[in-house]
Amino acid sequence: MAAAALWRLRRALTAAFSSGAGPGRPEKLTVRRQEEGVRNIILNNPRRRNALSLSMLQSLREDLLHDIKSKDLRVIIISAEGPVFCSGHDLKELSSEDDVKHHSQVFEMCAEVMTLIQKLPVPVIAKVNGLATAAGCQLVASCDIAVASEKSQFATPGVNIGLFCSTPAVALGRSLPRKVALEMLFTGEPLSAQEALMHGLVSKVVPEDKLEEETMKISHKICESSKSVLALGKATFYRQMAQDLDTAYKMTTQVMVDNLTLRDGQEGIEAFIQKRKPVWSHSQDEKK
């Protein structure tokens, strides 16, 4: 990476981590909107580069969990205002002015939000249009799907300021090949959107003016399926990934059988045989 480009990245991060909240800070750090089954959660503190302060993490957690069991909620999109998707933790909260208890609260809440994303019964999509660094990169890696604009970049530059990105490494190490993840962690240099796509950190890369269209296309396709079947499938996917091959096949074999007992499991098969569109109940009820 060219020295000038690296300098610009470091300058942006320094501004993100060092500037005060100021009088223009938004009262609501995240904005939640929902329409036709799709919930949009927007990180809404561009002046602070959407840093994951404790307050931001709490607001994000609240929006993720809001009415989560509703049949009207089918997919969640996380996006951001401004040119930076998320700059990671707010380093002002991690200075020596705050005690160890507060530092622990920040990292524990962050870990809770990241693991919560994969435990939710609906798919979560990161819509990235800009820079995602440190815990911001961790957020992208923790989502089920990630769609990025061509200008987006991804980095874990904590090592350059003396705070190794150990918690972001958990998500990165499970999304990227080990040597790619470690190069990011050891050098702090960013991946381009295309590099992130090549290595599996994001699902798709599109021109900036197509980002909304592509993200909604995926979302609407997800909305065509049964919420209960997707919830079962998502939970099973993450569960089996932590198991050895034989255990994973044994567990998922039983899940396939359980899936057939669901009302929507039978509805889908009957609709296919009868050559009609399925009518989903989106419930966990078994077929009577």
Side-chain angles (χ1 to χ4, degrees), residues 33-41 72-77 125 215-216 218-220 223:
R33 300 172 184 150
Q34 187 167 324
E35 185 177 357
E36 296 181 347
V38 180
R39 175 176 299 170
N40 282 279
I41 301 175
D72 294 329
L73 175 62
R74 313 290 291 288
V75 62
I76 295 173
I77 298 169
I125 304 173
T215 306
M216 292 308 297
I218 296 170
S219 300
H220 289 149
C223 288

Side-chain angles (χ1 to χ4, degrees), residues 62-114:
E62 179 182 342
D63 284 345
L64 287 168
L65 287 173
H66 178 78
D67 206 13
I68 191 64
K69 294 182 180 180
S70 170
K71 293 181 183 180
D72 294 329
L73 175 62
R74 313 290 291 288
V75 62
I76 295 173
I77 298 169
I78 300 177
S79 61
E81 287 289 344
V84 175
F85 174 78
C86 179
S87 61
H89 289 296
D90 186 342
L91 293 193
K92 290 180 71 68
E93 287 192 333
L94 304 181
S95 69
S96 58
E97 295 176 6
D98 290 303
D99 59 20
V100 173
K101 182 178 179 181
H102 180 78
H103 297 166
S104 295
Q105 285 180 321
V106 171
F107 291 119
E108 287 168 3
M109 177 55 67
C110 186
E112 180 180 344
V113 169
M114 301 302 168

Side-chain angles (χ1 to χ4, degrees), residues 9-53:
L9 172 63
R10 287 176 176 169
R11 184 177 64 176
L13 289 171
T14 300
F17 292 142
S18 301
S19 61
R25 180 174 179 175
E27 289 185 8
K28 187 148 180 61
L29 295 174
T30 60
V31 175
R32 183 183 71 244
R33 300 172 184 150
Q34 187 167 324
E35 185 177 357
E36 296 181 347
V38 180
R39 175 176 299 170
N40 282 279
I41 301 175
I42 304 164
L43 306 182
N44 191 42
N45 195 4
R47 190 175 184 278
R48 296 285 295 136
R49 274 70 169 180
N50 297 310
L52 292 179
S53 63

